[in-house]
Amino acid sequence: MKPAKFDYYRPKDVSEALSLLESSGFDGKIIAGGQSLVPIMNMRLATPECLIDINGLHDLNFIDSDDHTLKIGTMTRQSTVETSELVKKKCGLVTEAVAHIGHLQTRNRGTIGGSIVHADPSAELPLVLMALNGTLHISSEEETRSVNAEDFFLTFLTTDMMPNEMLTEIHLPIWKGRVGSSFQEVARRHGDFALVAAACQLELDAHDRISDIRLALGGVEAIPLLIEDAKELLAGEKVTDQAVQKIAELVAKSVEPESDLHASAAYRTQLAKVLTTRVLYQAYERAKG
C-alpha cells in the first residue's frame, strides 16, 4: 500500500518551518527520520495533505550541556546520542535506553524528537524523559514554551502539542553525587517495541541510603507511568530485599496494562514487578560504585 497524495516542503530554517505549520494547520505534518510516520502513511492510517521535511534544519542537530542540564536538539539522530561520550558521562540512562530502540538502521535515521513526539507508551525515549523529569522546548510562530515531561504526554500517541507547534529541543537535568541508573525491557524479539520497560535513577548519601529516586515504567499505561510513591517509600532507606519487594507490590497495584495479541494484562503486570526489581538493584549497585 502507498501513501495518499501530499504536497512536500523542505524549509531552510526553523522560522520557515513554523510558518508552514501555521499555514497548513491540521493538514500539515512534520517528517524527520520517518521511522514512525512513514509506515503509518503507507497504511493510510495518517493522510496529511502536506509534509514538512525538517532534515535541513541543522541548527536543531546538537548535543550540549552546562553544569546542570544536558541539551539535545530535536533533529539529533538516535545513533548520535547512543555513541555520544557527553551523553554517557552526563546522563548514562539515556545511552542505555537508546541502545534498545529498534535496530542500528532505525537509530541511524530516527531522531530524538520524532520518537518523543510520536509518544508511543512502549517507546524508550518517552520513558526516559519521564524518568529523568525532562523538559521539552516547543516553538510556534507566536511563542516558545517549556513543558515538563509529566505534563507533555496526555494519552496514547497524544501530547500537549498543537498542530502549529514543533519540538525544538529537550533538556535533561544532570544529577550530581553518587548516582546510579538502570534501564531494562522485555520484548518478543530484539528491536521490537517493549512489552514492558522500566527506568530508574537514584542518588545515595554517604551511608548508602537513598536521597532521591525516580522510577518509571512503559507499556503498562497509555503514557509512561511515573511511580510517584517510590521516593516517599525509599527515601532514607537502603535497597534491601524487603524494600524492593514493597516497591514491586506497589507497582503491581499501580499499573493497568491492557491485553493484546502479544501479551496478557496479567503477564505485563508480572513483567512490571520483575523489571522494577531488576532496575532498583542495578541502579543501587551502580551508585555504590
Side-chain angles (χ1 to χ4, degrees):
M1 203 167 188
K2 298 297 182 183
K5 181 181 177 180
F6 58 85
D7 295 326
Y8 174 82
Y9 301 92
R10 189 177 174 93
K12 297 179 177 64
D13 53 39
V14 173
S15 177
E16 184 182 356
L18 294 176
S19 178
L20 287 166
L21 280 173
E22 186 69 36
S23 61
S24 61
F26 286 96
D27 297 323
K29 199 74 173 176
I30 285 177
I31 185 169
Q35 300 304 292
S36 300
L37 179 59
V38 170
I40 292 174
M41 289 179 62
N42 283 341
M43 291 183 286
R44 300 205 177 191
L45 297 175
T47 55
E49 294 186 7
C50 72
L51 282 188
I52 303 167
D53 185 344
I54 62 171
N55 279 282
L57 306 188
H58 302 299
D59 289 347
L60 300 182
N61 180 5
F62 65 86
I63 300 173
D64 198 5
S65 73
D66 55 30
D67 289 341
H68 306 288
T69 307
L70 177 68
K71 305 171 185 178
I72 305 176
T74 192
M75 277 302 301
T76 309
R77 304 292 172 181
Q78 295 159 4
S79 58
T80 302
V81 173
E82 181 183 9
T83 57
S84 168
E85 288 298 323
L86 180 61
V87 175
K88 184 177 181 180
K89 178 181 178 182
K90 301 292 186 180
C91 202
L93 184 60
V94 176
T95 303
E96 191 172 4
V98 169
H100 289 273
I101 299 175
H103 303 279
L104 180 58
Q105 297 92 327
T106 313
R107 300 193 292 274
N108 281 341
R109 287 297 304 163
T111 61
I112 293 296
S115 178
I116 291 171
V117 171
H118 186 57
D120 191 293
S122 297
E124 292 81 3
L125 286 171
L127 175 58
V128 167
L129 198 66
M130 183 71 77
L132 294 176
N133 195 25
T135 303
L136 302 98
H137 289 245
I138 300 166
S139 295
S140 67
E141 275 200 311
E142 290 78 25
E143 64 173 350
T144 296
R145 62 190 181 97
S146 299
V147 182
N148 290 332
E150 294 177 29
D151 300 317
F152 180 73
F153 301 104
L154 302 181
T155 187
F156 185 73
L157 303 180
T158 306
T159 69
D160 182 43
M161 283 182 61
M162 299 302 292
N164 66 335
E165 292 183 316
M166 177 173 68
L167 175 65
T168 54
E169 58 187 90
I170 65 167
H171 290 189
L172 300 170
I174 297 172
W175 291 32
K176 305 286 181 67
R178 302 178 67 205
V179 176
S181 61
S182 177
F183 182 97
Q184 297 203 25
E185 67 175 46
V186 171
R188 294 178 68 229
R189 299 172 301 182
H190 172 69
D192 285 359
F193 276 110
L195 297 176
V196 176
C200 176
Q201 183 149 297
L202 55 80
E203 181 182 1
L204 303 181
D205 62 20
H207 304 288
D208 292 342
R209 300 183 185 278
I210 294 175
S211 57
D212 197 3
I213 183 171
R214 286 182 69 89
L215 171 67
L217 290 106
V220 295
E221 297 276 357
I223 62 173
L225 176 66
L226 179 68
I227 307 300
E228 298 183 25
D229 290 338
K231 183 174 181 179
E232 180 180 348
L233 291 175
L234 290 177
E237 301 288 337
K238 294 185 177 182
V239 173
T240 61
D241 292 345
Q242 182 178 5
V244 170
Q245 181 64 28
K246 185 186 299 184
I247 298 299
E249 292 300 329
L250 170 66
V251 164
K253 294 176 182 178
S254 301
V255 301
E256 295 182 357
E258 295 184 357
S259 297
D260 57 26
L261 61 91
H262 301 300
S264 67
Y267 182 59
R268 281 193 165 94
T269 300
Q270 178 62 20
L271 283 179
K273 291 176 62 177
V274 170
L275 292 180
T276 294
T277 300
R278 291 178 182 176
V279 295
L280 282 171
Y281 280 128
Q282 187 170 60
Y284 186 65
E285 292 302 317
R286 287 174 173 176
K288 288 167 62 178

